[in-house]
Amino acid sequence: MKVLLKAYTAMNLGDDMFITYICKRYPQVSFYIDCSDKYFIPFKQLINIHQFDNTFESIRFDLKIIIGGSLFMQSISTSINNKFFNDYQSLMVNSIPTYIIGVNFGPYESENFAKIYKEYFKKARYTVFRDEYSYNLFQDSNTSWAPDILFNYKLPTYKKEPTIAISCIKKNKRSGLPDYNENEYFKVLVSLIEHYCQMGYKTNLFAFCKLQEDDIAALEIFEMLSYNAKHSTNIIIYEGNINNFLMKFLKSIYVVGSRFHSIILALNAKIPVYPIAYNYKITHALDSYSFNGKYAHIQEVSDIGFRDFEVNRLNNCGIDLNCIRLDAKKHFELLDEILGGHNEKKPIIDSYTSL
């Protein structure tokens, strides 16, 4: 079968793991994706995914899968300017059955924006949201919700090191970011690193997406550190090698995460995590998954003290992972029937294989 795959292709760790997962779940399927050479690096060793070329319009696709996270956000500049909506509308002419999985809706401000997408999701064969809030906005006979796709991802286990992982973001003009005080946010993370340095821990600043300037944020935070803290802190940037990045991340004993998937990966790996929510997709997910720890909104993070951050680590806060992993399979129930399924006894996701 030939499947048109739509996703966010900009070397963002979470989205790259989505693409890797679905390709390995269905190795007998040929996937085609619109992706530049620069951002195709993470997928070069996947034999069943292909870049578009000038002849792609002649391919007769069996179906289309939209896989992602925050693909349906209201643009800063206009009420309806979403490439996934526009692409979908044009492909409806060719009657390609479309399945949407792993997504949340918003942030959005205009009720008209939500109204337009209500009709949009009705036209898809099936949509599986990744949080209950998004599902409640559009619940219909062809929609459901399940925990994030990456709870299906079989993560390797590593011996833990006395290292704290901090995932940071940069305040820029991309959609989905609120108006918050970046300097105060950075100062809080600097203070955390200084405290952990004094306690004898090392710290890694993780940049999940260079295009969205996580690496710049990490460098700015690093430059604010004291001499001693700098010598116990590293910056780790995701540049297309999923497993190399995961190896360093999963050795951590604690995660303070701003990136959505820094939180999901920590929960999946049973690493205690303190989430810093930069928009409501994070709080909606945490509420949907019955997270039993504390979290902070990025606009109010300066009100959170070191002892507050330590609560989740000391109490080993997390989720009911067995139930979450089972429910997360719902993203693929219909696709397994259509695309041939996979062998549950022998998982095809092997994170030890170099990518």
Side-chain angles (χ1 to χ4, degrees):
M1 296 186 73
K2 293 182 175 63
V3 172
L4 178 63
L5 191 64
K6 297 293 293 184
Y8 181 70
T9 52
M11 210 173 286
N12 177 301
L13 178 75
D15 293 283
D16 288 356
M17 290 179 72
F18 287 158
I19 295 165
T20 299
Y21 180 85
I22 197 168
C23 288
K24 288 195 170 185
R25 188 179 182 99
Y26 306 112
Q28 72 280 14
V29 173
S30 292
F31 292 97
Y32 293 80
I33 193 165
D34 185 3
C35 182
S36 68
D37 290 341
K38 178 181 178 181
Y39 295 130
F40 196 73
I41 291 172
F43 320 121
K44 283 189 175 294
Q45 293 189 39
L46 298 172
I47 61 173
N48 61 330
I49 189 167
H50 313 280
Q51 292 172 276
F52 282 153
D53 57 31
N54 294 330
T55 65
F56 84 91
E57 291 183 354
S58 65
I59 299 173
R60 184 178 181 86
F61 293 110
D62 296 289
L63 69 152
K64 173 185 174 184
I65 297 172
I66 297 176
I67 183 171
S70 299
L71 300 182
F72 303 106
M73 294 187 291
Q74 186 167 350
S75 170
I76 294 172
S77 59
T78 183
S79 61
I80 178 67
N81 181 21
N82 186 296
K83 68 177 181 177
F84 291 92
F85 177 82
N86 294 331
D87 288 350
Y88 178 84
Q89 291 295 87
S90 64
L91 285 168
M92 279 301 294
V93 176
N94 299 322
S95 299
I96 302 174
T98 299
Y99 294 81
I100 305 169
I101 59 174
V103 298
N104 59 269
F105 188 79
Y108 75 102
E109 294 182 2
S110 165
E111 287 304 317
N112 187 51
F113 184 81
K115 183 178 179 181
I116 290 171
Y117 272 97
K118 193 170 184 68
E119 296 304 311
Y120 168 83
F121 290 122
K122 283 182 179 180
K123 292 180 180 178
R125 292 291 178 91
Y126 209 76
T127 298
V128 186
F129 296 102
R130 68 177 177 186
D131 65 72
E132 197 168 10
Y133 170 85
S134 298
Y135 166 69
N136 286 336
L137 288 175
F138 303 101
Q139 56 180 299
D140 209 327
S141 58
N142 68 333
T143 63
S144 65
W145 83 272
D148 190 81
I149 284 171
L150 292 192
F151 285 114
N152 292 276
Y153 202 104
K154 185 178 181 293
L155 297 173
T157 56
Y158 297 101
K159 183 179 179 180
K160 292 292 185 283
E161 297 177 352
T163 303
I164 308 298
I166 294 181
S167 140
C168 53
I169 62 169
K170 176 69 178 168
K171 186 179 182 181
N172 47 35
K173 294 182 179 180
R174 66 186 175 95
S175 297
L177 291 183
D179 183 19
Y180 66 96
N181 189 319
E182 182 181 74
N183 187 56
E184 289 298 314
Y185 165 66
F186 284 174
K187 283 168 62 176
V188 167
L189 296 184
V190 166
S191 178
L192 274 177
I193 295 171
E194 297 285 356
H195 272 94
Y196 285 122
C197 174
Q198 292 172 15
M199 295 170 65
Y201 293 108
K202 293 185 177 180
T203 305
N204 286 327
L205 282 162
F206 285 92
F208 276 58
C209 184
K210 282 184 71 174
L211 181 67
Q212 295 177 352
E213 302 182 315
D214 291 14
D215 57 326
I216 295 175
L219 183 58
E220 291 182 13
I221 292 166
F222 183 85
E223 291 301 325
M224 294 168 68
L225 296 174
S226 67
Y227 176 85
N228 287 338
K230 283 181 178 177
H231 279 75
S232 64
T233 302
N234 292 308
I235 296 174
I236 298 170
I237 303 170
Y238 173 61
E239 296 186 279
N241 190 319
I242 294 173
N243 285 345
N244 186 53
F245 191 87
L246 286 179
M247 178 182 66
K248 296 170 183 175
F249 184 82
L250 296 175
K251 289 181 179 180
S252 311
I253 62 165
Y254 191 40
V255 174
V256 177
S258 299
R259 274 288 175 183
F260 183 90
H261 279 110
S262 71
I263 300 163
I264 299 301
L265 290 173
L267 292 172
N268 192 13
K270 299 182 180 180
I271 302 172
V273 58
Y274 190 100
I276 298 176
Y278 68 83
N279 78 30
Y280 62 61
K281 71 176 180 181
I282 294 176
T283 56
H284 288 160
L286 293 172
D287 293 343
S288 298
Y289 312 159
S290 299
F291 177 64
N292 65 9
K294 294 178 177 291
Y295 58 80
H297 295 274
I298 199 167
Q299 302 97 316
E300 303 165 355
V301 73
S302 60
D303 297 330
I304 308 299
F306 181 71
R307 289 185 179 180
D308 298 310
F309 279 106
E310 277 283 86
V311 168
N312 289 4
R313 182 179 77 88
L314 297 175
N315 292 317
N316 197 30
C317 294
I319 55 176
D320 184 347
L321 192 54
N322 290 333
C323 289
I324 290 293
R325 284 175 174 167
L326 185 64
D327 289 343
K329 294 178 182 180
K330 295 176 183 177
H331 287 285
F332 298 97
E333 284 180 344
L334 286 179
L335 291 176
D336 281 351
E337 294 178 13
I338 298 166
L339 300 178
H342 72 295
N343 188 346
E344 286 283 355
K345 294 181 181 179
K346 185 180 179 182
I348 58 175
I349 291 297
D350 180 2
S351 295
Y352 295 92
T353 303
S354 174
L355 294 173

